[in-house]
Amino acid sequence: MATPSYARSALCLGKRLKLSPPPNPAIQCQTRGLRQRATPAHALAGTSPSQHVQKRHESTQSAVEEAQPSPPIDAATAAKELQRIRLPRAVQATYLDPLRRPSRYHVKTCELQLRSYSIRNLEVFADFAMRAAYYLKLPASGPRPLPKITERWTVPRSSFVHKKSQENFERITVRRQIEINDGHPETVAVWLGFLKKHQYYGIGMKANVFEYGGLEVAQDMDAEAEAIAEKLGETLDLVGGKRSLMNSEEEVQGMVESEPFKAAWGAHAAMSGAQSVPHAHKRIASHVVE
Amino acid sequence: MAQFRPKRLDLGCFTNIKIIRDHTKRKVFEEHEPERQALRFMIRNTSLPQRTRAQAQLQLTQMHCYTRPTQIRNRCIMGGKGRGVFRDFRMARYQFRMKALAGQIPGVKKASW
């Protein structure tokens, strides 16, 4: 067979079934679309199921005569039963609009902007992001379409002399924005990480994340600075010049005023702007050795 | 200037001498930028003595011309042309047109309005 049996259309099945003496209405009336996957293999196979069942019944008749034979499966009822089986909710939901969780406090915690040159990719990914937010229990709103960005370029079709004949090109960037309200910073980070992991082709993303602190911001920052200082240890002393040297103001003042230092930046030269030029003996750094 | 150029070619795109020269200039400028900025700061800082500032001026003018940002010019990565180069695509106008018509620049289409 060139095509597999499940790939043939219902019309084809009908044709085949006409060959067998009793036409089977159960298969002709089977629904198409989503449900088709749920139909049993034998219903879609080449032979009609009633024949199949009959054959099996004959072969087992003698052997299991007294062992209470199970009633033969009627194809019509089987199809009905199968129709009644629903798809899992999560699968059904993919055919519907993404679900949203209501926001309670309306405190914005994240703004995600998606950009693309192709609207289809963008729609798909925005939908994906909304679903991801729902399952992470983040109240998301959107995707809100932002104004398109249209860039246009005009170039001459050929060389300089033929300036009259030009051609226009454009690039339109479409944008969508998804806002997360009342999201825990960690959950938002998880959401963004998940979206980054499952990035879709041709989509750019950028996110503004808002974090809120208590009123004691300064104290928190001090505590954080101390924690960082502990971690860094001695290396912190070297940040922005040696701290241990800078601690005593007089020392620094003395260093700045010392004549060798002044000389180094040109205080002793002409036009230096310094008040006076010291005598030679003062220009030498002298340390008292004890 | 050959003294700034690396021993081996460190470019992957279309190359001709103008492109290599421009590339060298970019690298040299990047290397010397802090020095240039420091000198510029000294020249403009009125709290410094005149002499220091004059010296800084001299030093700045005596630096190699390759360390100047004005030496850098955008060139077409496809053909090395120096004029009509789009900053967005780093391509000269004709190369841009060819690529855009071939659909090789993402999102760029022929416009009509």
Side-chain angles (χ1 to χ4, degrees):
Chain A
M1 257 186 259
T3 52
S5 59
Y6 58 81
R8 263 180 272 123
S9 66
L11 192 74
C12 239
L13 263 178
K15 270 185 202 165
R16 271 191 149 254
L17 286 167
K18 269 175 199 164
L19 297 174
S20 59
N24 199 333
I27 293 177
Q28 278 166 348
C29 73
Q30 72 169 286
T31 52
R32 302 197 60 204
L34 292 182
R35 306 264 181 214
Q36 207 165 25
R37 272 180 229 156
T39 51
H42 75 259
L44 293 169
T47 55
S48 97
S50 60
Q51 275 182 337
H52 191 74
V53 171
Q54 269 176 3
K55 267 186 205 164
R56 203 184 67 178
H57 198 65
E58 277 163 16
S59 62
T60 52
Q61 211 170 15
S62 56
V64 213
E65 190 81 48
E66 63 280 354
Q68 217 229 334
S70 59
I73 301 163
D74 183 18
T77 52
K80 266 183 196 167
E81 284 295 316
L82 285 169
Q83 271 190 3
R84 210 173 296 157
I85 297 173
R86 63 164 177 79
L87 288 166
R89 287 281 184 236
V91 179
Q92 260 183 345
T94 55
Y95 293 93
L96 307 168
D97 257 6
L99 294 163
R100 285 146 221 265
R101 290 188 192 274
S103 161
R104 195 164 162 201
Y105 304 106
H106 306 289
V107 178
K108 193 197 285 178
T109 48
C110 180
E111 265 178 8
L112 178 73
Q113 199 179 111
L114 307 168
R115 286 186 181 197
S116 177
Y117 303 134
S118 121
I119 185 77
R120 299 183 70 206
N121 289 7
L122 190 74
E123 290 283 327
V124 166
F125 196 68
D127 191 80
F128 176 79
M130 290 300 290
R131 284 173 205 281
Y134 175 78
Y135 289 116
L136 282 170
K137 301 192 175 169
L138 287 170
S141 68
R144 185 158 62 89
L146 297 175
K148 288 182 208 167
I149 303 170
T150 311
E151 294 159 285
R152 290 210 175 91
W153 299 273
T154 305
V155 290
R157 272 177 214 266
S158 63
S159 53
F160 179 77
V161 281
H162 302 294
K163 171 77 175 165
K164 269 190 181 178
S165 162
Q166 302 201 14
E167 204 163 18
N168 293 308
F169 292 93
E170 71 178 349
R171 181 171 69 183
I172 299 170
T173 315
V174 276
R175 302 187 285 172
R176 290 285 182 279
Q177 181 156 300
I178 296 173
E179 277 179 21
I180 302 282
N181 291 313
D182 315 338
H184 190 272
E186 273 179 28
T187 323
V188 170
V190 166
W191 181 61
L192 291 175
F194 181 73
L195 293 184
K196 201 172 177 193
K197 188 184 170 192
H198 297 282
Q199 269 177 329
Y200 201 53
Y201 69 97
I203 306 275
M205 294 188 278
K206 77 170 180 185
N208 293 329
V209 181
F210 304 92
E211 282 189 27
Y212 298 88
L215 283 176
E216 302 84 27
V217 187
Q219 288 166 27
D220 291 347
M221 283 170 81
D222 283 348
E224 201 177 329
E226 269 175 32
I228 290 171
E230 263 180 39
K231 268 189 189 172
L232 285 179
E234 277 190 11
T235 45
L236 186 69
D237 191 39
L238 298 173
V239 176
K242 228 177 175 192
R243 292 283 174 86
S244 54
L245 266 178
M246 303 285 185
N247 278 341
S248 55
E249 204 176 307
E250 303 89 48
E251 255 180 64
V252 179
Q253 190 71 21
M255 279 166 66
V256 171
E257 284 174 355
S258 73
E259 293 302 332
F261 181 78
K262 279 185 174 175
W265 61 259
H268 298 165
M271 294 163 66
S272 73
Q275 295 291 323
S276 64
V277 178
H279 291 295
H281 70 272
K282 279 190 181 174
R283 296 188 191 179
I284 303 159
S286 54
H287 294 287
V288 180
V289 182
E290 290 172 4
Chain B
M1 286 285 144
Q3 79 257 29
F4 296 122
R5 223 171 279 159
K7 292 282 178 286
R8 290 182 62 194
L9 186 68
D10 55 347
L11 270 175
C13 64
F14 174 90
T15 44
N16 60 21
I17 184 60
K18 290 172 199 163
I19 289 232
I20 294 172
R21 206 173 282 155
D22 184 65
H23 180 64
T24 315
K25 283 174 183 174
R26 280 167 198 269
K27 286 208 301 185
V28 173
F29 169 66
E30 190 198 4
E31 198 183 314
H32 289 87
E33 196 190 356
E35 200 182 329
R36 286 193 78 88
Q37 292 295 351
L39 289 172
R40 271 160 49 83
F41 174 80
M42 285 168 81
I43 292 165
R44 282 159 179 71
N45 189 350
T46 46
S47 68
L48 286 175
Q50 269 304 321
R51 186 188 164 84
T52 317
R53 295 173 63 190
Q55 273 177 341
Q57 262 182 5
L58 273 175
Q59 270 189 38
L60 189 65
T61 51
Q62 275 164 9
M63 283 180 84
H64 197 274
C65 71
Y66 270 34
T67 61
R68 281 180 211 145
T70 51
Q71 292 273 323
I72 293 166
R73 182 167 181 93
N74 292 340
R75 289 198 154 266
C76 172
I77 52 164
M78 301 303 299
K81 275 187 61 144
R83 293 183 187 210
V85 177
F86 285 119
R87 186 167 287 213
D88 292 337
F89 306 102
R90 300 198 293 158
M91 259 181 255
R93 56 165 205 254
Y94 193 69
Q95 290 292 343
F96 164 73
R97 180 170 168 259
M98 291 282 95
K99 291 268 167 196
L101 287 176
Q104 285 168 357
I105 306 177
V108 175
K109 284 178 261 179
K110 274 198 58 146
S112 83
W113 67 94

